[in-house]
Amino acid sequence: EGPVALSTAPLDGARATLERTFDAEFGGFTPAPKFPHPGYVERLLRHWHASAQSDAPDLAALYMATLTLTRMAEGGLYDHVGGGFARYSTDAYWMIPHFEKMLYDNGPLLALYARAAAATGDELFRRAANGTADWLVRELQAPGGAFWSSVDADSEGHEGRYYVWDRAEVESLLAPDDFTALARRYGLDRAPNFEGTSWHLHAHVAVDAVASELAVAPTEAQRRIDAGLARLRAAREHRVRPGTDDKVLAAWNGLAIGGLAVAARARGRPDLADAATRAVDFVRRELWRDGRLLATWKDGRARIPGFLDDYAFLADALLELLQARWRGADLEFATALADALLAHFADPAGGFWFTADDAERLV
């Protein structure tokens, strides 16, 4: 028999729904509060890519995806000082986030920005991908190799205190030329945008425009801004840090491993493949027991039978990592995960259950 023809109607329907709900000014697909929804953006990029070589490439899908990526990376949803994305924006402009940073957001967003940078050559996307990857490895990777789950929004009892700035403090930390460029770029020359008293960095003016105003080359303007951000990061290290949720979840580690693997290929960074490999080795060592996956690990103890997303996200991540660097053991692990998924989660009527066929019976 020949190949089965698959209908594209569900994907076309998803594409049409996203266009109906798209915010053409600020990007995204909902009113405030605004979540990043990386799956929505990936769907649009894939829709464009599938049509790119045709007589009618879907440029509208590409526009919706890239505008959303641009607004998120320019906005306060992204941590311009330390990298990584917050959980959601409290406003429609991506300016003031709920400051909690989740592993399950940053893994897919890393993959998304790395792919978008490769597809478009956009420098903003490249910087967001590199900054998010660096933050993941620096802040959320445990010494044993696995990734912790999240970083809290609060420190010292106040949400955002670790992330927001007093303008006089910033001016005291930076060289005058660096402060002028950074203040113009990130809005410190405007009224405070956080609780009427502080500033949370949000890119208001393009780097080229800052360069033009200062009568310097764009590369010099970016150098000054980067120098200022580096000083702010060093100063922020002396603040009381938000707490870290140090449990390890198999599914979320799969998302992080996959994002790092994509970025390793797209950005030419073998160090990210190394970080992903350390996480794979931890999961296989601590969460893989007798051909089955456990869902969570904390304080030296793995427990709870794995769910569908644990198997699926980890298997997908291994396929991404195998494309970055080859290890036969990882192919064997991916195959074993897929075999277990098919054996214990497939519904004979079609589709898959979320819990295994031998899991604890639900109420």
Side-chain angles (χ1 to χ4, degrees):
E1 295 182 5
V4 177
L6 298 176
S7 170
T8 63
L11 299 180
D12 293 338
R15 156 74 175 77
T17 298
L18 291 173
E19 186 164 32
R20 283 197 304 272
T21 59
F22 177 61
D23 181 340
E25 185 175 4
F26 299 107
F29 305 92
T30 65
K34 230 172 203 176
F35 289 78
H37 292 305
Y40 292 5
V41 182
E42 182 179 357
R43 177 64 253 149
L44 290 169
L45 283 176
R46 289 184 178 275
H47 216 96
W48 162 74
H49 189 266
S51 68
Q53 303 304 317
S54 71
D55 293 335
D58 192 346
L59 298 180
L62 179 62
Y63 173 75
M64 287 188 282
T66 55
L67 179 68
T68 299
L69 290 170
T70 297
R71 294 290 185 258
M72 289 196 300
E74 289 178 335
L77 188 78
Y78 180 71
D79 180 359
H80 297 276
V81 173
F85 288 85
R87 189 172 172 220
Y88 63 86
S89 173
T90 62
D91 51 67
Y93 325 112
W94 306 106
M95 184 181 293
I96 303 300
H98 171 50
F99 287 89
E100 187 178 23
K101 291 181 179 177
M102 309 299 297
L103 182 62
Y104 70 71
D105 287 321
N106 282 280
L109 285 168
L110 170 57
L112 190 57
Y113 275 94
R115 287 182 170 126
T120 66
D122 192 295
E123 173 67 10
L124 180 67
F125 299 164
R126 183 194 70 80
R127 293 172 67 87
N130 283 334
T132 300
D134 291 341
W135 173 79
L136 274 173
V137 175
R138 185 180 68 246
E139 303 286 347
L140 279 189
Q141 189 160 34
F147 287 92
W148 295 318
S149 292
S150 66
V151 175
D152 293 345
D154 298 1
S155 57
E156 300 182 274
H158 296 277
E159 178 167 352
R161 173 168 285 188
Y162 183 74
Y163 298 99
V164 301
W165 297 92
D166 176 81
R167 183 164 58 192
E169 177 191 9
V170 175
E171 191 167 11
S172 72
L173 290 167
L174 273 54
D177 286 348
D178 297 346
F179 174 77
T180 300
L182 185 141
R184 189 74 181 116
R185 170 74 166 148
Y186 292 116
L188 274 75
D189 58 349
R190 300 173 181 231
N193 62 356
F194 185 75
E195 297 183 349
T197 58
S198 303
W199 282 260
H200 179 55
L201 301 190
H202 174 100
H204 290 277
V205 179
V207 173
D208 286 353
V210 173
S212 178
E213 292 176 14
L214 300 180
V216 299
T219 53
E220 172 59 17
Q222 187 65 68
R223 187 202 65 76
R224 295 180 186 183
I225 293 166
D226 287 342
L229 292 173
R231 292 295 301 272
L232 293 185
R233 182 179 155 200
R236 201 170 76 175
E237 289 296 316
H238 296 286
R239 296 179 176 181
V240 176
R241 300 175 64 85
T244 299
D245 180 349
D246 62 355
K247 70 176 174 289
V248 172
L249 299 176
W252 295 10
N253 269 258
L255 294 175
I257 292 163
L260 288 166
V262 170
R265 298 199 313 271
R267 304 301 328 137
R269 291 188 54 180
D271 62 307
L272 301 183
D274 293 341
T277 299
R278 293 195 298 273
V280 169
D281 290 345
F282 179 95
V283 171
R284 184 162 42 205
R285 183 175 65 249
E286 301 292 342
L287 293 168
W288 183 244
R289 305 279 175 80
D290 301 321
R292 300 294 290 275
L293 194 60
L294 295 171
T296 183
W297 181 97
K298 192 177 188 311
D299 298 331
R301 180 189 174 204
R303 61 192 186 89
I304 305 177
F307 300 97
L308 179 65
D309 57 348
D310 296 305
Y311 286 84
F313 290 169
L314 191 57
D316 179 70
L318 287 165
L319 294 178
E320 293 291 354
L321 188 55
L322 285 165
Q323 296 174 70
R325 61 101 191 93
W326 182 267
R327 290 199 310 180
D330 287 347
L331 178 61
E332 294 174 4
F333 190 21
T335 302
L337 287 165
D339 287 343
L341 189 157
L342 291 170
H344 296 287
F345 292 87
D347 184 344
F352 296 87
W353 298 308
F354 186 67
T355 56
D357 57 359
D358 58 353
E360 179 183 0
R361 293 185 64 83
L362 301 179
V363 174

